[in-house]
Coordinates of all heavy atoms in Angstrom, one line a residue:
M27 N 112.1 96.1 112.3 CA 113.0 95.1 112.8 C 113.1 94.0 111.7 O 112.2 93.7 111.0 CB 112.5 94.4 114.0 CG 112.6 95.4 115.2 SD 112.1 94.5 116.7 CE 113.6 93.7 117.2
D28 N 114.3 93.5 111.6 CA 114.5 92.4 110.6 C 114.0 91.1 111.1 O 114.2 90.7 112.3 CB 116.0 92.2 110.4 CG 116.7 93.4 109.7 OD1 115.9 94.1 109.0 OD2 117.9 93.5 109.8
I29 N 113.3 90.4 110.2 CA 112.8 89.0 110.6 C 113.8 88.0 110.2 O 114.4 88.0 109.1 CB 111.4 88.7 109.9 CG1 110.4 89.7 110.3 CG2 111.0 87.3 110.1 CD1 109.0 89.6 109.5
R30 N 114.2 87.2 111.2 CA 115.2 86.1 111.0 C 114.6 84.8 110.6 O 115.1 84.1 109.8 CB 115.9 86.0 112.3 CG 117.1 85.0 112.3 CD 117.7 84.8 113.7 NE 117.0 83.9 114.5 CZ 117.1 82.6 114.4 NH1 117.9 82.0 113.6 NH2 116.4 81.8 115.2
K31 N 113.4 84.5 111.2 CA 112.8 83.2 111.0 C 111.3 83.3 111.2 O 110.8 84.0 112.1 CB 113.4 82.2 112.0 CG 112.7 80.8 112.0 CD 113.4 79.9 113.0 CE 112.7 78.6 113.1 NZ 113.2 77.8 114.2
I32 N 110.5 82.5 110.4 CA 109.1 82.4 110.7 C 108.8 80.9 110.7 O 109.4 80.1 110.1 CB 108.2 83.1 109.6 CG1 108.4 82.5 108.2 CG2 108.4 84.6 109.6 CD1 107.4 82.9 107.2
S33 N 107.7 80.6 111.5 CA 107.2 79.2 111.5 C 105.7 79.3 111.2 O 105.0 80.1 111.8 CB 107.4 78.6 112.9 OG 108.8 78.6 113.2
I34 N 105.3 78.5 110.3 CA 103.9 78.5 109.8 C 103.2 77.3 110.2 O 103.7 76.2 109.9 CB 103.8 78.6 108.3 CG1 104.7 79.7 107.7 CG2 102.4 78.7 107.8 CD1 104.3 81.1 108.0
G35 N 102.1 77.4 111.0 CA 101.3 76.2 111.4 C 101.0 76.3 112.9 O 101.6 77.0 113.6
P36 N 100.0 75.5 113.3 CA 99.5 75.6 114.6 C 100.4 74.9 115.7 O 100.4 75.3 116.8 CB 98.1 74.9 114.6 CG 98.2 74.0 113.4 CD 99.2 74.6 112.4
D37 N 101.2 73.9 115.3 CA 102.0 73.2 116.2 C 103.5 73.5 116.0 O 104.1 72.8 115.1 CB 101.7 71.7 116.1 CG 102.4 70.9 117.2 OD1 103.2 71.4 118.0 OD2 102.1 69.7 117.3
Y38 N 104.0 74.4 116.7 CA 105.4 74.9 116.4 C 106.4 73.8 116.4 O 107.3 73.7 115.5 CB 105.8 75.9 117.5 CG 107.1 76.5 117.3 CD1 107.3 77.6 116.5 CD2 108.3 76.1 118.0 CE1 108.5 78.2 116.3 CE2 109.5 76.6 117.8 CZ 109.6 77.7 116.9 OH 110.9 78.3 116.7
K39 N 106.4 72.8 117.3 CA 107.4 71.8 117.4 C 107.2 70.6 116.5 O 108.1 70.0 116.0 CB 107.5 71.3 118.8 CG 108.1 72.4 119.8 CD 108.1 71.9 121.2 CE 109.4 71.1 121.4 NZ 109.5 70.7 122.8
N40 N 106.0 70.3 116.2 CA 105.7 69.0 115.5 C 105.1 69.1 114.1 O 105.0 68.1 113.5 CB 104.8 68.1 116.4 CG 105.5 67.8 117.7 OD1 106.7 67.4 117.7 ND2 104.8 67.9 118.8
G41 N 104.6 70.3 113.7 CA 104.0 70.3 112.4 C 104.2 71.6 111.6 O 103.7 71.7 110.5
A42 N 104.8 72.5 112.2 CA 105.0 73.8 111.5 C 106.1 73.7 110.5 O 107.1 73.0 110.6 CB 105.3 74.9 112.5
M43 N 106.0 74.6 109.4 CA 107.0 74.7 108.4 C 107.9 75.9 108.9 O 107.3 77.0 109.3 CB 106.4 75.0 107.1 CG 105.7 73.8 106.5 SD 106.7 72.4 106.1 CE 107.8 73.1 104.9
H44 N 109.2 75.7 108.9 CA 110.1 76.8 109.3 C 110.9 77.3 108.2 O 111.4 76.6 107.3 CB 111.1 76.2 110.4 CG 110.4 75.6 111.5 ND1 109.8 76.3 112.6 CD2 110.1 74.3 111.8 CE1 109.3 75.4 113.4 NE2 109.4 74.2 113.0
Y45 N 111.0 78.7 108.1 CA 111.7 79.4 107.0 C 112.7 80.3 107.7 O 112.3 81.2 108.5 CB 110.7 80.1 106.1 CG 109.7 79.2 105.4 CD1 108.5 79.0 106.0 CD2 110.1 78.5 104.3 CE1 107.6 78.2 105.3 CE2 109.2 77.7 103.6 CZ 107.9 77.5 104.2 OH 107.0 76.7 103.6
L46 N 113.9 80.2 107.3 CA 115.0 81.0 107.9 C 115.8 81.8 106.9 O 116.1 81.2 105.8 CB 115.9 80.0 108.7 CG 117.2 80.6 109.4 CD1 116.8 81.4 110.6 CD2 118.0 79.4 109.8
V47 N 116.1 83.0 107.1 CA 116.9 83.8 106.2 C 118.2 83.1 106.0 O 118.9 82.7 107.0 CB 117.1 85.3 106.6 CG1 118.1 86.0 105.8 CG2 115.7 86.0 106.7
G48 N 118.6 82.9 104.7 CA 119.9 82.2 104.4 C 119.7 80.7 104.2 O 120.6 80.1 103.7
Q49 N 118.5 80.2 104.4 CA 118.2 78.8 104.2 C 118.2 78.5 102.7 O 117.6 79.2 102.0 CB 116.9 78.5 104.9 CG 116.4 77.1 104.6 CD 115.0 76.9 105.2 OE1 114.5 77.7 105.9 NE2 114.4 75.7 105.0
K50 N 118.8 77.4 102.4 CA 118.8 76.9 101.0 C 117.4 76.3 100.7 O 116.9 75.6 101.5 CB 119.9 75.8 100.7 CG 121.3 76.3 100.9 CD 121.7 77.2 99.8 CE 123.2 77.6 100.0 NZ 123.6 78.6 99.0
V51 N 116.9 76.7 99.5 CA 115.6 76.2 99.1 C 115.6 75.9 97.6 O 116.5 76.4 96.9 CB 114.4 77.2 99.3 CG1 114.2 77.4 100.8 CG2 114.7 78.5 98.7
L52 N 114.8 75.0 97.1 CA 114.7 74.7 95.7 C 116.1 74.3 95.1 O 116.5 74.7 94.1 CB 114.2 75.9 94.9 CG 112.8 76.4 95.3 CD1 112.4 77.6 94.5 CD2 111.7 75.3 95.1
G53 N 116.8 73.4 95.9 CA 118.1 73.0 95.5 C 119.2 73.9 96.2 O 118.9 74.7 97.0
D54 N 120.4 73.8 95.7 CA 121.5 74.5 96.3 C 121.7 75.9 95.7 O 122.6 76.6 96.1 CB 122.8 73.7 96.3 CG 122.8 72.5 97.2 OD1 122.0 72.5 98.2 OD2 123.5 71.5 96.9
T55 N 121.0 76.2 94.7 CA 121.2 77.5 94.0 C 120.4 78.7 94.4 O 120.6 79.8 94.0 CB 121.1 77.3 92.5 OG1 119.7 76.9 92.2 CG2 122.0 76.2 91.9
N56 N 119.4 78.4 95.3 CA 118.5 79.5 95.8 C 118.6 79.5 97.3 O 118.7 78.5 98.0 CB 117.1 79.2 95.3 CG 117.0 79.1 93.8 OD1 117.1 80.1 93.1 ND2 116.8 77.9 93.4
E57 N 118.4 80.7 97.9 CA 118.3 80.8 99.3 C 117.4 81.9 99.7 O 117.1 82.8 98.9 CB 119.7 81.0 100.0 CG 120.3 82.3 99.8 CD 121.6 82.5 100.6 OE1 122.4 81.5 100.5 OE2 121.8 83.5 101.2
I58 N 116.8 81.8 100.9 CA 115.9 82.8 101.4 C 116.7 84.1 101.6 O 117.6 84.1 102.4 CB 115.1 82.3 102.6 CG1 114.2 81.1 102.3 CG2 114.3 83.5 103.2 CD1 113.5 80.5 103.4
H59 N 116.3 85.2 101.0 CA 117.0 86.4 101.1 C 116.3 87.4 102.1 O 117.0 88.1 102.8 CB 117.0 87.1 99.7 CG 117.6 88.4 99.6 ND1 118.9 88.6 99.7 CD2 117.0 89.7 99.5 CE1 119.2 89.9 99.7 NE2 118.0 90.6 99.5
L60 N 115.0 87.4 102.1 CA 114.3 88.4 102.9 C 112.9 87.8 103.3 O 112.2 87.2 102.5 CB 114.1 89.7 102.2 CG 113.3 90.8 102.8 CD1 114.0 91.4 104.0 CD2 112.9 91.9 101.8
I61 N 112.6 88.0 104.6 CA 111.2 87.7 105.1 C 110.6 89.0 105.5 O 111.2 89.7 106.4 CB 111.2 86.7 106.2 CG1 111.9 85.4 105.8 CG2 109.8 86.4 106.7 CD1 112.1 84.4 106.9
K62 N 109.5 89.4 104.9 CA 108.9 90.7 105.2 C 107.4 90.5 105.7 O 106.7 89.8 105.1 CB 108.9 91.5 103.9 CG 108.3 92.9 104.0 CD 108.5 93.6 102.6 CE 107.9 95.0 102.7 NZ 107.9 95.7 101.4
Q63 N 107.1 91.3 106.7 CA 105.7 91.4 107.2 C 105.0 92.6 106.6 O 105.6 93.7 106.7 CB 105.7 91.4 108.7 CG 104.3 91.4 109.3 CD 104.4 91.3 110.8 OE1 105.3 91.8 111.4 NE2 103.3 90.8 111.4
V64 N 103.9 92.4 106.0 CA 103.1 93.5 105.4 C 102.0 93.8 106.5 O 101.1 93.0 106.6 CB 102.5 93.1 104.1 CG1 101.6 94.3 103.5 CG2 103.5 92.7 103.1
I65 N 102.1 94.9 107.1 CA 101.2 95.3 108.2 C 99.8 95.5 107.7 O 98.8 95.1 108.4 CB 101.7 96.5 109.0 CG1 103.1 96.3 109.5 CG2 100.8 96.9 110.1 CD1 103.2 95.2 110.5
E66 N 99.6 96.1 106.6 CA 98.3 96.5 106.1 C 97.3 95.3 106.0 O 96.2 95.4 106.3 CB 98.4 97.1 104.7 CG 99.0 98.5 104.7 CD 100.5 98.4 104.7 OE1 101.1 97.4 104.3 OE2 101.2 99.4 105.2
D67 N 97.8 94.1 105.5 CA 96.9 93.0 105.4 C 97.4 91.8 106.2 O 96.9 90.7 106.1 CB 96.8 92.5 103.9 CG 98.1 92.1 103.3 OD1 99.1 92.1 104.0 OD2 98.0 91.7 102.1
N68 N 98.4 92.0 107.1 CA 98.9 91.0 108.0 C 99.5 89.8 107.3 O 99.3 88.7 107.8 CB 97.9 90.7 109.1 CG 98.5 90.0 110.3 OD1 99.6 90.3 110.6 ND2 97.8 89.2 111.0
S69 N 100.1 90.0 106.2 CA 100.6 88.9 105.4 C 102.2 88.8 105.6 O 102.8 89.8 106.1 CB 100.3 89.0 104.0 OG 100.9 90.1 103.4
I70 N 102.7 87.7 105.2 CA 104.2 87.5 105.2 C 104.6 87.2 103.8 O 104.0 86.3 103.1 CB 104.5 86.3 106.2 CG1 104.1 86.6 107.6 CG2 106.0 86.0 106.1 CD1 105.0 87.6 108.3
L71 N 105.7 87.8 103.4 CA 106.3 87.6 102.1 C 107.7 87.0 102.2 O 108.4 87.5 103.0 CB 106.3 88.9 101.3 CG 105.1 89.7 101.1 CD1 105.3 91.0 100.4 CD2 104.0 88.9 100.3
I72 N 108.0 86.0 101.4 CA 109.3 85.4 101.5 C 109.9 85.6 100.1 O 109.4 85.1 99.1 CB 109.3 83.9 101.8 CG1 108.6 83.7 103.2 CG2 110.7 83.3 101.8 CD1 108.5 82.3 103.7
Y73 N 111.1 86.2 100.1 CA 111.8 86.5 98.8 C 113.1 85.6 98.8 O 113.7 85.4 99.9 CB 112.3 87.9 98.7 CG 111.2 88.9 98.6 CD1 110.5 89.5 99.7 CD2 110.8 89.3 97.3 CE1 109.5 90.4 99.5 CE2 109.7 90.2 97.1 CZ 109.1 90.7 98.2 OH 108.1 91.6 98.1
I74 N 113.4 85.0 97.6 CA 114.6 84.2 97.5 C 115.5 84.9 96.5 O 115.1 85.7 95.7 CB 114.3 82.8 97.0 CG1 113.6 82.8 95.7 CG2 113.5 82.0 98.1 CD1 113.4 81.4 95.1
I75 N 116.8 84.6 96.6 CA 117.8 85.1 95.6 C 118.4 83.9 94.9 O 118.7 82.9 95.6 CB 118.9 85.9 96.3 CG1 119.8 86.6 95.3 CG2 119.6 85.1 97.4 CD1 120.7 87.7 95.9
N76 N 118.5 84.0 93.6 CA 118.9 82.8 92.8 C 120.4 83.0 92.5 O 121.1 84.0 92.8 CB 118.1 82.6 91.6 CG 118.1 83.7 90.6 OD1 119.0 84.5 90.6 ND2 117.0 83.8 89.8
E77 N 120.9 82.0 91.7 CA 122.3 82.1 91.3 C 122.7 83.2 90.5 O 123.9 83.6 90.4 CB 122.7 80.7 90.7 CG 122.0 80.5 89.4 CD 122.2 79.1 88.8 OE1 122.8 78.3 89.5 OE2 121.7 78.8 87.7
K78 N 121.7 83.8 89.8 CA 122.0 85.0 89.0 C 121.9 86.3 89.8 O 121.9 87.4 89.2 CB 121.0 85.1 87.8 CG 121.2 83.9 86.9 CD 120.1 84.0 85.8 CE 120.1 82.8 84.9 NZ 119.0 82.8 83.9
K79 N 121.7 86.2 91.1 CA 121.5 87.3 92.0 C 120.2 88.1 91.8 O 120.2 89.2 92.1 CB 122.7 88.2 92.0 CG 124.1 87.6 92.3 CD 124.1 87.0 93.7 CE 125.5 86.4 93.9 NZ 125.4 85.4 94.9
E80 N 119.2 87.4 91.2 CA 117.9 88.0 91.1 C 117.1 87.7 92.3 O 117.1 86.5 92.8 CB 117.2 87.4 89.8 CG 117.9 87.6 88.5 CD 117.4 86.8 87.4 OE1 117.0 85.6 87.6 OE2 117.4 87.3 86.3
I81 N 116.4 88.7 92.8 CA 115.6 88.5 94.0 C 114.1 88.4 93.5 O 113.6 89.3 92.8 CB 115.7 89.7 95.0 CG1 117.2 89.7 95.4 CG2 114.8 89.6 96.1 CD1 117.5 90.9 96.2
V82 N 113.4 87.3 93.9 CA 112.1 87.1 93.4 C 111.2 86.7 94.6 O 111.7 86.1 95.6 CB 112.0 86.0 92.3 CG1 112.7 86.5 91.1 CG2 112.5 84.7 92.8
L83 N 109.9 87.1 94.5 CA 108.9 86.7 95.5 C 108.7 85.2 95.4 O 108.4 84.7 94.3 CB 107.6 87.4 95.4 CG 106.5 87.1 96.4 CD1 107.0 87.3 97.8 CD2 105.3 87.9 96.1
W84 N 108.8 84.4 96.5 CA 108.7 82.9 96.4 C 107.4 82.5 97.0 O 106.7 81.7 96.5 CB 109.9 82.3 97.1 CG 109.9 80.8 97.1 CD1 109.6 79.9 96.1 CD2 110.2 80.0 98.2 NE1 109.7 78.6 96.5 CE2 110.1 78.6 97.8 CE3 110.5 80.2 99.5 CZ2 110.3 77.6 98.7 CZ3 110.8 79.1 100.4 CH2 110.6 77.8 99.9
K85 N 107.1 83.0 98.2 CA 105.9 82.6 98.9 C 105.2 83.8 99.6 O 105.9 84.7 100.0 CB 106.2 81.5 100.0 CG 106.6 80.2 99.5 CD 106.8 79.2 100.6 CE 107.2 77.9 100.1 NZ 106.2 76.9 100.1
Q86 N 103.9 83.6 99.8 CA 103.1 84.6 100.5 C 102.1 83.9 101.4 O 101.5 82.9 101.0 CB 102.4 85.6 99.6 CG 101.5 86.6 100.3 CD 100.9 87.6 99.4 OE1 101.1 87.6 98.2 NE2 100.0 88.4 99.9
F87 N 102.1 84.3 102.7 CA 101.2 83.7 103.6 C 100.2 84.8 104.1 O 100.7 85.9 104.4 CB 101.9 83.1 104.8 CG 102.8 81.9 104.4 CD1 104.2 82.1 104.2 CD2 102.3 80.6 104.2 CE1 105.0 81.1 103.9 CE2 103.2 79.6 103.9 CZ 104.5 79.8 103.7
N88 N 99.0 84.5 104.2 CA 98.0 85.5 104.7 C 97.9 85.4 106.2 O 98.5 84.5 106.8 CB 96.6 85.4 104.0 CG 96.0 84.0 104.3 OD1 96.1 83.5 105.4 ND2 95.2 83.5 103.4
G89 N 97.2 86.3 106.8 CA 97.2 86.4 108.3 C 96.2 85.5 108.9 O 96.0 85.6 110.1
T90 N 95.5 84.6 108.2 CA 94.5 83.7 108.8 C 95.1 82.5 109.3 O 94.4 81.7 110.0 CB 93.4 83.4 107.8 OG1 94.0 82.7 106.7 CG2 92.7 84.6 107.3
I91 N 96.4 82.2 109.1 CA 97.0 81.0 109.6 C 98.0 81.4 110.7 O 98.5 82.5 110.8 CB 97.7 80.2 108.5 CG1 98.8 81.0 107.8 CG2 96.8 79.7 107.5 CD1 99.6 80.3 106.8
P92 N 98.2 80.4 111.7 CA 99.1 80.8 112.8 C 100.6 80.9 112.3 O 101.1 80.1 111.5 CB 99.1 79.5 113.7 CG 97.8 78.8 113.3 CD 97.6 79.2 111.9
I93 N 101.2 82.1 112.6 CA 102.5 82.4 112.2 C 103.3 82.8 113.5 O 102.9 83.7 114.2 CB 102.6 83.5 111.2 CG1 101.8 83.0 109.9 CG2 104.0 83.9 110.8 CD1 101.7 84.1 108.8
S94 N 104.5 82.2 113.7 CA 105.4 82.7 114.7 C 106.6 83.4 114.1 O 107.1 82.9 113.1 CB 105.9 81.5 115.5 OG 106.9 81.8 116.5
I95 N 106.9 84.6 114.6 CA 108.0 85.4 114.0 C 109.1 85.5 115.0 O 108.9 85.8 116.1 CB 107.4 86.8 113.6 CG1 106.3 86.6 112.6 CG2 108.6 87.6 113.1 CD1 105.6 88.0 112.3
E96 N 110.3 85.3 114.5 CA 111.5 85.5 115.3 C 112.3 86.7 114.6 O 112.5 86.6 113.4 CB 112.5 84.3 115.3 CG 111.9 83.2 116.1 CD 112.8 82.0 116.2 OE1 114.0 82.2 116.1 OE2 112.3 80.9 116.5
F97 N 112.7 87.7 115.4 CA 113.4 88.8 114.8 C 114.9 88.7 115.1 O 115.3 88.1 116.1 CB 112.8 90.1 115.5 CG 111.4 90.4 115.2 CD1 110.4 90.0 116.1 CD2 111.1 91.0 114.0 CE1 109.1 90.3 115.8 CE2 109.7 91.3 113.7 CZ 108.7 90.9 114.6
N98 N 115.7 89.4 114.3 CA 117.1 89.5 114.6 C 117.3 90.5 115.7 O 116.6 91.5 115.8 CB 117.8 90.1 113.4 CG 118.3 89.1 112.4 OD1 118.4 87.9 112.7 ND2 118.5 89.5 111.1
I99 N 118.1 90.0 116.7 CA 118.4 90.9 117.8 C 119.9 91.1 117.9 O 120.6 90.1 118.0 CB 117.9 90.3 119.1 CG1 116.3 90.2 119.1 CG2 118.3 91.2 120.3 CD1 115.7 89.5 120.2
N100 N 120.4 92.3 117.7 CA 121.8 92.5 117.7 C 122.2 93.3 118.9 O 121.8 94.4 119.1 CB 122.2 93.3 116.4 CG 121.9 92.6 115.1 OD1 122.1 91.4 115.0 ND2 121.2 93.2 114.2
F101 N 123.0 92.7 119.8 CA 123.4 93.3 121.0 C 124.8 93.9 120.8 O 125.6 93.5 120.1 CB 123.5 92.3 122.2 CG 122.1 91.8 122.6 CD1 121.7 90.6 122.2 CD2 121.3 92.6 123.3 CE1 120.5 90.1 122.6 CE2 120.0 92.1 123.7 CZ 119.6 90.9 123.3

């Protein structure tokens, strides 16, 4: 399933960092392209796409911190 959004941190409403596919990051020239869950080590990878259309790994979170995952649901 495609991941649409992740929230990192113990307090979802008041202290978590939220990352959403399509969200602008690092200025207006980069956006979150893909959020991927790696089952083997329970980590989360966030890839961004820049103005040159290059896709690069931006952030990685390990499985020891609280993570909430929202999936794309297409009806």
Side-chain angles (χ1 to χ4, degrees):
M27 294 184 80
D28 292 339
I29 296 176
R30 182 184 86 80
K31 176 183 175 184
I32 62 166
S33 301
I34 309 292
D37 187 354
Y38 182 83
K39 291 177 83 176
N40 297 315
M43 293 294 297
H44 305 280
Y45 300 97
L46 178 68
V47 172
Q49 175 183 352
K50 297 286 185 186
V51 294
L52 303 173
D54 289 335
T55 59
N56 303 289
E57 72 177 45
I58 296 176
H59 176 72
L60 175 70
I61 302 172
K62 181 178 179 181
Q63 184 176 24
V64 181
I65 301 299
E66 293 79 25
D67 63 359
N68 200 29
S69 65
I70 298 289
L71 305 175
I72 300 178
Y73 292 88
I74 60 173
I75 187 166
N76 62 23
E77 60 190 7
K78 298 176 185 174
K79 303 298 182 203
E80 299 168 324
I81 299 171
V82 294
L83 179 60
W84 179 48
K85 291 187 180 253
Q86 178 176 354
F87 297 97
N88 62 33
T90 61
I91 57 175
I93 298 174
S94 174
I95 300 174
E96 293 183 21
F97 296 97
N98 273 338
I99 299 175
N100 300 315
F101 293 103

